Amino acid sequence: MPLVTLQDIYLSYGQPPLIDHINLVIEPGERVCLIGRNGAGKSTLLKILTGQVIADDGVLKRAAGVKIAQLEQSVPHDATGTVFDVIAEGLGEEGKLAARYHHLILELGNNPDDKVMRELEDCQAELERVDGWDINQRVEAIVTKMELNPDVDISSLSGGYKRRVLLARALVCNPDLLLLDEPTNHLDIDAIQWVEQFLLKWEGALLFISHDRRFMDNLATRFIEIDRGQLAEFHCNYSTYIQRKKEMLEIEDKHNALFDKRLSQEEVWIRQGIKARRTRNEGRVRALEALRVEYANRRKQLGTAKMDIQQAEKSGKIVAEAENISFAFDDGKAVVQSFSTLIQRGDKVGLIGRNGVGKTTLLKLLLGQLEPQQGRIKTGTNLNVAYFDQYRSALDESKTVQDNVSGGRDMLDVGGKSRHVISYLQDFLFSPDRCRQPVSALSGGERNRLLLAKLFTRPSNILVLDEPTNDLDIDTLDLLEELLIDYQGTVLLVSHDRAFLNNVVTSTLVFEGNAVINQYVGGYDDWLRQRSVEQKTAAAPASAAKPQNKPATKKRSYNVQRELDNLPGEIERLETEIAAISEQINQPDFYQSDRTVTAPIEQNLVALQDQLNHSYQRWEQLEVE
């Protein structure tokens, strides 16, 4: 039985409607990704499901007793109390009682006072009255599962741990459906992977909004796109969705072209001379009027940003050269230790590391904005740096959108040509009305687009981008990727978007811990592969040293030798089956089949891959025995 059903839901804040008579069904256990452009109505749809927004028309049906919990897009700035307190808030008044009991237990341990004992007894009695012992255990269980310290104040935690606490608060009530709005925003890669693995193991239904392509590809079992007020469903992975969406838009363009041609022909006919008007078909006239209405009501596809990066004259061949540099904060915490690197013109370098590890500090060192405490940094010549700040400090929230870009002027010099500031901002999808509004009224995605618009008004040969992908929709992300790939200058990129790093950078600087920074060729996946090889190489001498205390040769038993001889054939069989199933899944019509047909095939593929991995591991194990 469906958990939630939306029937003919309509919502409008003016014309055109934001949500235009849509239908949606969410089944138990499925993981649905809701995608769409910034401002398309994704967050509003989540609010309709929770009852925070009431639709103008249509029916919302919930299964009897269904529980829905939500993780908001942004971490509240006013969140206070201990981790235990915040999580217990997810259980309402009974949760507050459990939090009070937890604090009294702690207080009694530190101060065995009679007054505290009496308060604890009263609290125990109240818990028993409302059958609240299960509630206390549930909070403790989720704290353990999330690997949290229950007695730490939430205000002292990093953004990633705050989001983990808020996720625990949403899950503590054991919801049947969990709603997540951009759960990976401002999280580092380790935190994103933790959330990803946790949700993969979670058994409830999930509806989430995300622009992190790797995250949603790993997690989603179904994609739903909201576009111009309508919903479209895709039972496939993300790459297949992209292909199908492209085909749908091509078909729509052809249909619109035929429609426009027919309308043009009918408009010519209606304007013929008096004789034609005397004999014209009234039914044809009514059909023309219907065509006019349909054309007027047609919602055109949302525009795509037309960003362009102005490139300055080339910098010197060497952009930055660091030799054995070290740097530590005032509290003595080391950020960089004996680090050396050479960055040359045209390099596209990604920085990977946990939040707070010092990525921004390293950028400032490489650009000469900070002096190393040890070692030497040589910066290149003719450097024109454009800096994208993750905190958007370059934007003045009290000023309008256009004043932030133009400084009060009407005209801009862009690419050697004079352009009106509103015309320029329309390339970044800001309407004239939006250009006159203050920055404080913009969404997160709009602010990022505005910062890019401001950044690209000046020529540069070095782009420094500190987490530019937060809040950007997928279309804008794809365009930014293309611009950075074609950019002739140098790029220094801090990002936690794994797909973005893979597609843009040519090398990565990775903070490995304890102020150690290592450089790898390629993007995120290349780093993982190279790190795995290094770990195996480092482990090889230790494993090779162990047999010295054993006989030089050790004869394998008959059964072990037979298993070893059979493994190559078993591996070949598994690879053949996996290839056949993969080819079947990659067929365009595979995901058009019923889910009861496709799901067992997908499960079989996963099982075969697990068997193949086990066979390879067993082969390596037997080879060294």
Side-chain angles (χ1 to χ4, degrees), residues 302-342:
L302 294 174
T304 302
K306 301 175 183 177
M307 299 185 293
D308 191 22
I309 304 176
Q310 295 191 67
Q311 304 202 29
E313 294 182 5
K314 290 182 179 180
S315 66
K317 184 175 181 181
I318 294 178
V319 173
E321 183 178 8
E323 294 182 4
N324 295 315
I325 64 170
S326 297
F327 186 86
F329 292 127
D330 293 338
D331 60 3
K333 180 182 178 183
V335 178
V336 181
Q337 190 70 42
S338 301
F339 171 66
S340 299
T341 189
L342 174 64

Short mmCIF file of all heavy atoms in Angstrom, two decimals, residues 302-342:
data_model
loop_
_atom_site.label_atom_id
_atom_site.label_comp_id
_atom_site.label_asym_id
_atom_site.label_seq_id
_atom_site.Cartn_x
_atom_site.Cartn_y
_atom_site.Cartn_z
N LEU A 302 12.73 26.24 -19.47
CA LEU A 302 13.51 27.24 -18.75
C LEU A 302 14.86 27.46 -19.44
O LEU A 302 15.49 26.51 -19.91
CB LEU A 302 13.74 26.79 -17.30
CG LEU A 302 12.47 26.71 -16.43
CD1 LEU A 302 12.84 26.11 -15.08
CD2 LEU A 302 11.83 28.07 -16.26
N GLY A 303 15.27 28.71 -19.49
CA GLY A 303 16.52 29.03 -20.16
C GLY A 303 17.73 28.46 -19.44
O GLY A 303 17.67 28.09 -18.28
N THR A 304 18.84 28.41 -20.15
CA THR A 304 20.10 27.96 -19.59
C THR A 304 21.03 29.16 -19.44
O THR A 304 21.06 30.03 -20.31
CB THR A 304 20.76 26.91 -20.50
OG1 THR A 304 19.86 25.81 -20.66
CG2 THR A 304 22.05 26.40 -19.89
N ALA A 305 21.74 29.21 -18.35
CA ALA A 305 22.66 30.32 -18.14
C ALA A 305 23.69 30.37 -19.27
O ALA A 305 24.08 29.35 -19.83
CB ALA A 305 23.37 30.15 -16.79
N LYS A 306 24.09 31.59 -19.62
CA LYS A 306 25.04 31.80 -20.72
C LYS A 306 26.33 32.39 -20.16
O LYS A 306 26.78 33.47 -20.57
CB LYS A 306 24.44 32.72 -21.78
CG LYS A 306 23.15 32.20 -22.39
CD LYS A 306 22.54 33.22 -23.34
CE LYS A 306 21.21 32.74 -23.88
NZ LYS A 306 20.57 33.75 -24.76
N MET A 307 26.91 31.70 -19.22
CA MET A 307 28.11 32.20 -18.57
C MET A 307 29.31 32.13 -19.51
O MET A 307 29.40 31.24 -20.35
CB MET A 307 28.40 31.39 -17.30
CG MET A 307 27.30 31.46 -16.26
SD MET A 307 27.74 30.61 -14.72
CE MET A 307 27.80 28.90 -15.26
N ASP A 308 30.20 33.08 -19.34
CA ASP A 308 31.44 33.07 -20.11
C ASP A 308 32.54 33.68 -19.24
O ASP A 308 32.32 34.68 -18.56
CB ASP A 308 31.28 33.87 -21.40
CG ASP A 308 32.45 33.67 -22.34
OD1 ASP A 308 33.14 32.64 -22.20
OD2 ASP A 308 32.67 34.53 -23.21
N ILE A 309 33.71 33.05 -19.24
CA ILE A 309 34.82 33.52 -18.41
C ILE A 309 35.74 34.37 -19.27
O ILE A 309 36.25 33.93 -20.30
CB ILE A 309 35.61 32.32 -17.82
CG1 ILE A 309 34.67 31.40 -17.04
CG2 ILE A 309 36.72 32.82 -16.92
CD1 ILE A 309 35.36 30.14 -16.52
N GLN A 310 35.95 35.62 -18.83
CA GLN A 310 36.89 36.49 -19.53
C GLN A 310 38.32 36.11 -19.16
O GLN A 310 38.64 36.00 -17.98
CB GLN A 310 36.64 37.95 -19.15
CG GLN A 310 35.29 38.49 -19.61
CD GLN A 310 35.25 39.98 -19.44
OE1 GLN A 310 35.95 40.73 -20.10
NE2 GLN A 310 34.42 40.44 -18.51
N GLN A 311 39.14 35.93 -20.15
CA GLN A 311 40.50 35.49 -19.89
C GLN A 311 41.48 36.64 -20.11
O GLN A 311 41.44 37.32 -21.14
CB GLN A 311 40.85 34.31 -20.80
CG GLN A 311 39.86 33.16 -20.64
CD GLN A 311 40.43 31.83 -21.08
OE1 GLN A 311 41.63 31.62 -21.03
NE2 GLN A 311 39.56 30.93 -21.49
N ALA A 312 42.33 36.85 -19.12
CA ALA A 312 43.36 37.89 -19.20
C ALA A 312 44.56 37.36 -19.98
O ALA A 312 44.59 36.21 -20.42
CB ALA A 312 43.78 38.31 -17.79
N GLU A 313 45.57 38.21 -20.13
CA GLU A 313 46.81 37.76 -20.77
C GLU A 313 47.42 36.62 -19.96
O GLU A 313 47.21 36.52 -18.75
CB GLU A 313 47.81 38.92 -20.86
CG GLU A 313 47.38 40.03 -21.78
CD GLU A 313 48.42 41.13 -21.85
OE1 GLU A 313 49.51 40.95 -21.25
OE2 GLU A 313 48.15 42.15 -22.50
N LYS A 314 48.19 35.78 -20.62
CA LYS A 314 48.76 34.61 -19.96
C LYS A 314 49.64 35.02 -18.78
O LYS A 314 50.34 36.04 -18.83
CB LYS A 314 49.59 33.79 -20.94
CG LYS A 314 48.77 33.07 -22.00
CD LYS A 314 49.69 32.25 -22.89
CE LYS A 314 48.88 31.49 -23.94
NZ LYS A 314 49.77 30.68 -24.82
N SER A 315 49.58 34.22 -17.74
CA SER A 315 50.49 34.41 -16.63
C SER A 315 51.85 33.82 -16.99
O SER A 315 52.02 33.23 -18.08
CB SER A 315 49.95 33.70 -15.37
OG SER A 315 49.94 32.29 -15.57
N GLY A 316 52.81 33.99 -16.09
CA GLY A 316 54.08 33.31 -16.29
C GLY A 316 53.91 31.80 -16.28
O GLY A 316 52.89 31.28 -15.81
N LYS A 317 54.89 31.07 -16.79
CA LYS A 317 54.77 29.61 -16.87
C LYS A 317 54.58 28.99 -15.49
O LYS A 317 53.80 28.08 -15.30
CB LYS A 317 55.99 29.02 -17.56
CG LYS A 317 55.89 27.52 -17.77
CD LYS A 317 57.07 26.97 -18.56
CE LYS A 317 56.91 25.46 -18.76
NZ LYS A 317 58.06 24.88 -19.52
N ILE A 318 55.32 29.51 -14.50
CA ILE A 318 55.18 29.03 -13.12
C ILE A 318 54.20 29.93 -12.39
O ILE A 318 54.37 31.15 -12.33
CB ILE A 318 56.54 29.03 -12.39
CG1 ILE A 318 57.49 28.01 -13.04
CG2 ILE A 318 56.36 28.71 -10.91
CD1 ILE A 318 58.87 27.98 -12.42
N VAL A 319 53.14 29.32 -11.85
CA VAL A 319 52.14 30.07 -11.09
C VAL A 319 52.52 30.12 -9.62
O VAL A 319 52.48 31.16 -8.99
CB VAL A 319 50.74 29.43 -11.27
CG1 VAL A 319 49.72 30.09 -10.34
CG2 VAL A 319 50.29 29.55 -12.72
N ALA A 320 52.90 28.98 -9.07
CA ALA A 320 53.32 28.93 -7.66
C ALA A 320 54.25 27.74 -7.47
O ALA A 320 53.99 26.65 -7.99
CB ALA A 320 52.12 28.82 -6.73
N GLU A 321 55.33 27.96 -6.72
CA GLU A 321 56.27 26.89 -6.40
C GLU A 321 56.53 26.92 -4.90
O GLU A 321 57.00 27.92 -4.36
CB GLU A 321 57.57 27.06 -7.17
CG GLU A 321 58.55 25.92 -6.92
CD GLU A 321 59.82 26.08 -7.74
OE1 GLU A 321 60.00 27.15 -8.38
OE2 GLU A 321 60.64 25.14 -7.74
N ALA A 322 56.17 25.82 -4.23
CA ALA A 322 56.36 25.72 -2.78
C ALA A 322 57.46 24.71 -2.49
O ALA A 322 57.48 23.62 -3.06
CB ALA A 322 55.06 25.28 -2.11
N GLU A 323 58.37 25.10 -1.58
CA GLU A 323 59.48 24.22 -1.21
C GLU A 323 59.48 24.03 0.31
O GLU A 323 59.77 24.96 1.06
CB GLU A 323 60.82 24.82 -1.66
CG GLU A 323 61.00 24.90 -3.15
CD GLU A 323 62.36 25.46 -3.53
OE1 GLU A 323 63.17 25.70 -2.60
OE2 GLU A 323 62.61 25.66 -4.73
N ASN A 324 59.10 22.82 0.74
CA ASN A 324 59.16 22.42 2.16
C ASN A 324 58.49 23.45 3.08
O ASN A 324 59.06 23.85 4.10
CB ASN A 324 60.61 22.20 2.61
CG ASN A 324 61.24 21.03 1.90
OD1 ASN A 324 60.62 19.97 1.77
ND2 ASN A 324 62.46 21.20 1.42
N ILE A 325 57.29 23.87 2.71
CA ILE A 325 56.62 24.89 3.53
C ILE A 325 55.88 24.24 4.69
O ILE A 325 55.39 23.11 4.60
CB ILE A 325 55.64 25.74 2.71
CG1 ILE A 325 54.49 24.88 2.15
CG2 ILE A 325 56.35 26.49 1.60
CD1 ILE A 325 53.38 25.70 1.53
N SER A 326 55.80 24.97 5.80
CA SER A 326 55.05 24.55 6.98
C SER A 326 54.28 25.76 7.50
O SER A 326 54.75 26.90 7.41
CB SER A 326 55.97 23.99 8.07
OG SER A 326 56.63 22.83 7.62
N PHE A 327 53.11 25.48 8.06
CA PHE A 327 52.29 26.55 8.62
C PHE A 327 51.41 25.97 9.72
O PHE A 327 50.88 24.86 9.58
CB PHE A 327 51.42 27.20 7.54
CG PHE A 327 50.67 28.41 8.02
CD1 PHE A 327 51.25 29.67 7.99
CD2 PHE A 327 49.38 28.29 8.52
CE1 PHE A 327 50.56 30.78 8.44
CE2 PHE A 327 48.67 29.39 8.96
CZ PHE A 327 49.26 30.64 8.93
N ALA A 328 51.27 26.71 10.82
CA ALA A 328 50.42 26.28 11.94
C ALA A 328 49.63 27.48 12.44
O ALA A 328 50.06 28.64 12.32
CB ALA A 328 51.26 25.70 13.07
N PHE A 329 48.46 27.20 13.00
CA PHE A 329 47.64 28.26 13.59
C PHE A 329 48.26 28.72 14.91
O PHE A 329 49.21 28.12 15.42
CB PHE A 329 46.22 27.76 13.83
CG PHE A 329 45.46 27.48 12.55
CD1 PHE A 329 44.85 26.25 12.34
CD2 PHE A 329 45.36 28.45 11.56
CE1 PHE A 329 44.15 25.99 11.17
CE2 PHE A 329 44.67 28.20 10.39
CZ PHE A 329 44.06 26.97 10.19
N ASP A 330 47.68 29.79 15.46
CA ASP A 330 48.21 30.35 16.71
C ASP A 330 48.14 29.35 17.86
O ASP A 330 48.94 29.41 18.80
CB ASP A 330 47.43 31.62 17.08
CG ASP A 330 47.69 32.74 16.09
OD1 ASP A 330 48.74 32.68 15.41
OD2 ASP A 330 46.86 33.65 15.98
N ASP A 331 47.16 28.42 17.79
CA ASP A 331 47.04 27.44 18.88
C ASP A 331 48.03 26.29 18.73
O ASP A 331 48.02 25.33 19.52
CB ASP A 331 45.61 26.89 18.94
CG ASP A 331 45.19 26.20 17.64
OD1 ASP A 331 46.02 26.10 16.72
OD2 ASP A 331 44.02 25.77 17.55
N GLY A 332 48.91 26.38 17.73
CA GLY A 332 49.92 25.34 17.53
C GLY A 332 49.49 24.21 16.62
O GLY A 332 50.30 23.34 16.29
N LYS A 333 48.22 24.21 16.17
CA LYS A 333 47.75 23.13 15.31
C LYS A 333 48.33 23.29 13.91
O LYS A 333 48.12 24.30 13.24
CB LYS A 333 46.22 23.15 15.23
CG LYS A 333 45.63 22.05 14.36
CD LYS A 333 44.12 22.14 14.27
CE LYS A 333 43.56 21.06 13.35
NZ LYS A 333 42.09 21.18 13.20
N ALA A 334 49.07 22.29 13.47
CA ALA A 334 49.73 22.35 12.16
C ALA A 334 48.72 22.15 11.04
O ALA A 334 47.85 21.28 11.11
CB ALA A 334 50.83 21.29 12.08
N VAL A 335 48.84 22.95 9.99
CA VAL A 335 47.99 22.83 8.81
C VAL A 335 48.78 22.19 7.67
O VAL A 335 48.28 21.30 6.98
CB VAL A 335 47.46 24.21 8.38
CG1 VAL A 335 46.61 24.09 7.12
CG2 VAL A 335 46.68 24.86 9.49
N VAL A 336 50.00 22.66 7.48
CA VAL A 336 50.86 22.17 6.41
C VAL A 336 52.21 21.82 7.02
O VAL A 336 52.74 22.58 7.84
CB VAL A 336 51.05 23.23 5.31
CG1 VAL A 336 51.92 22.69 4.19
CG2 VAL A 336 49.71 23.69 4.76
N GLN A 337 52.77 20.68 6.64
CA GLN A 337 54.06 20.26 7.20
C GLN A 337 54.96 19.76 6.07
O GLN A 337 54.65 18.78 5.39
CB GLN A 337 53.85 19.14 8.22
CG GLN A 337 55.08 18.78 9.03
CD GLN A 337 55.47 19.87 10.02
OE1 GLN A 337 54.61 20.46 10.67
NE2 GLN A 337 56.76 20.14 10.13
N SER A 338 56.06 20.49 5.84
CA SER A 338 57.08 20.09 4.86
C SER A 338 56.45 19.73 3.51
O SER A 338 56.67 18.65 2.96
CB SER A 338 57.89 18.90 5.39
OG SER A 338 58.52 19.24 6.61
N PHE A 339 55.68 20.66 2.96
CA PHE A 339 54.95 20.42 1.72
C PHE A 339 55.64 21.14 0.56
O PHE A 339 56.03 22.29 0.67
CB PHE A 339 53.52 20.91 1.87
CG PHE A 339 52.73 20.89 0.58
CD1 PHE A 339 52.44 19.70 -0.05
CD2 PHE A 339 52.31 22.08 0.00
CE1 PHE A 339 51.72 19.68 -1.24
CE2 PHE A 339 51.59 22.07 -1.17
CZ PHE A 339 51.30 20.86 -1.79
N SER A 340 55.76 20.42 -0.55
CA SER A 340 56.34 21.00 -1.76
C SER A 340 55.45 20.70 -2.95
O SER A 340 54.86 19.61 -3.04
CB SER A 340 57.74 20.43 -2.02
OG SER A 340 58.61 20.72 -0.95
N THR A 341 55.33 21.66 -3.86
CA THR A 341 54.56 21.43 -5.09
C THR A 341 54.95 22.47 -6.12
O THR A 341 55.53 23.53 -5.79
CB THR A 341 53.04 21.50 -4.82
OG1 THR A 341 52.34 21.07 -5.99
CG2 THR A 341 52.60 22.92 -4.50
N LEU A 342 54.63 22.18 -7.37
CA LEU A 342 54.85 23.11 -8.46
C LEU A 342 53.55 23.20 -9.27
O LEU A 342 53.07 22.19 -9.79
CB LEU A 342 56.00 22.64 -9.36
CG LEU A 342 56.23 23.46 -10.63
CD1 LEU A 342 56.64 24.89 -10.29
CD2 LEU A 342 57.28 22.80 -11.52
#
